[in-house]
């Protein structure tokens, strides 16, 4: 009996890390699932599809025209006067500035060209249309 009670007083020589690994894997799965949901909260603009797209889109100023007619500059809601004011200021600072226009494919061609004319009057001469590959 004395030997049986002595075995309970021994020190533990190793740590069981299995529960910690389980918790980390569960957290990883939670982050992966929520990352997909965060991405879907972006603008809902259906871009037209093409075979080849411009790889330098990230280096330009982003302007979006939604199917409801809302104008977004760098993801922030604006109106025509705010857009012109911001683009004129940027064009003075960066004369060779590029602008990428994302417009919903359901919009009439006239709306897109009208906005392009306003952008050109603001001093931006390099305008690219954003498309899906």
């Amino acid at each position: 009996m004395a030997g049986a009670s002595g075995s309970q007083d021994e020190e533990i020589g190793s740590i069981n890390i299995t529960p910690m690994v389980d918790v980390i894997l569960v957290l990883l799965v939670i982050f992966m699932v929520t990352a997909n949901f965060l991405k879907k909260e972006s603008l809902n603009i259906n871009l037209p599809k093409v075979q080849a797209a411009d790889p330098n889109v990230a280096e330009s100023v982003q302007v979006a025209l939604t199917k409801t007619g809302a104008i977004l500059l760098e993801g922030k809601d604006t109106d025509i006067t705010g857009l012109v004011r911001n683009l004129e200021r940027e064009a003075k600072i960066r004369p060779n500035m590029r602008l990428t226009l994302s417009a919903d494919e359901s919009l009439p061609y006239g709306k897109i060209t009208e906005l392009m004319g306003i952008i050109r009057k603001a001093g931006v001469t390099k305008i690219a249309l954003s498309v899906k590959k």
Side-chain angles (χ1 to χ4, degrees), residues 65-66 68-69 101 103 107-118:
L65 183 61
T66 64
T68 60
L101 177 60
L107 285 171
Y109 185 67
K111 293 271 187 189
I112 299 167
T113 56
E114 179 184 340
L115 183 60
M116 288 176 69
I118 291 168

Side-chain angles (χ1 to χ4, degrees), residues 1 10 26 33 51 75-76 80 94 103 105 109 118 122 132:
M1 288 259 201
E10 292 178 11
V26 168
V33 169
Q51 296 296 324
K76 296 177 183 166
I80 296 289
R94 298 172 20 202
E105 67 182 347
Y109 185 67
I118 291 168
K132 255 194 277 190

Side-chain angles (χ1 to χ4, degrees), residues 59-115:
E59 299 172 5
S60 62
V61 174
Q62 303 293 318
V63 174
L65 183 61
T66 64
K67 65 174 132 181
T68 60
I71 300 172
L72 300 151
L73 176 62
E74 295 293 335
K76 296 177 183 166
D77 204 10
T78 187
D79 58 354
I80 296 289
T81 57
L83 176 70
V84 170
R85 189 177 28 228
N86 285 324
L87 291 179
E88 284 175 346
R89 186 181 68 238
E90 283 291 320
K92 287 178 185 174
I93 297 169
R94 298 172 20 202
N96 290 327
M97 174 182 72
R98 284 185 55 164
L99 184 135
T100 302
L101 177 60
S102 303
D104 195 277
E105 67 182 347
S106 66
L107 285 171
Y109 185 67
K111 293 271 187 189
I112 299 167
T113 56
E114 179 184 340
L115 183 60

Side-chain angles (χ1 to χ4, degrees), residues 5-80:
S5 65
S7 65
Q8 293 176 355
D9 293 337
E10 292 178 11
E11 290 185 26
I12 299 174
S14 64
I15 298 173
N16 187 5
I17 63 166
T18 305
M20 182 180 69
V21 171
D22 289 343
V23 169
I24 290 173
L25 288 175
V26 168
L27 289 173
L28 179 65
V29 169
I30 290 171
F31 287 133
M32 289 170 55
V33 169
T34 56
N36 287 337
F37 287 125
L38 294 175
K39 184 178 180 182
K40 294 188 190 244
E41 292 178 8
S42 63
L43 295 175
N44 190 12
I45 296 177
N46 296 323
L47 297 174
K49 294 180 183 176
V50 295
Q51 296 296 324
D54 188 6
N56 298 322
V57 170
E59 299 172 5
S60 62
V61 174
Q62 303 293 318
V63 174
L65 183 61
T66 64
K67 65 174 132 181
T68 60
I71 300 172
L72 300 151
L73 176 62
E74 295 293 335
K76 296 177 183 166
D77 204 10
T78 187
D79 58 354
I80 296 289

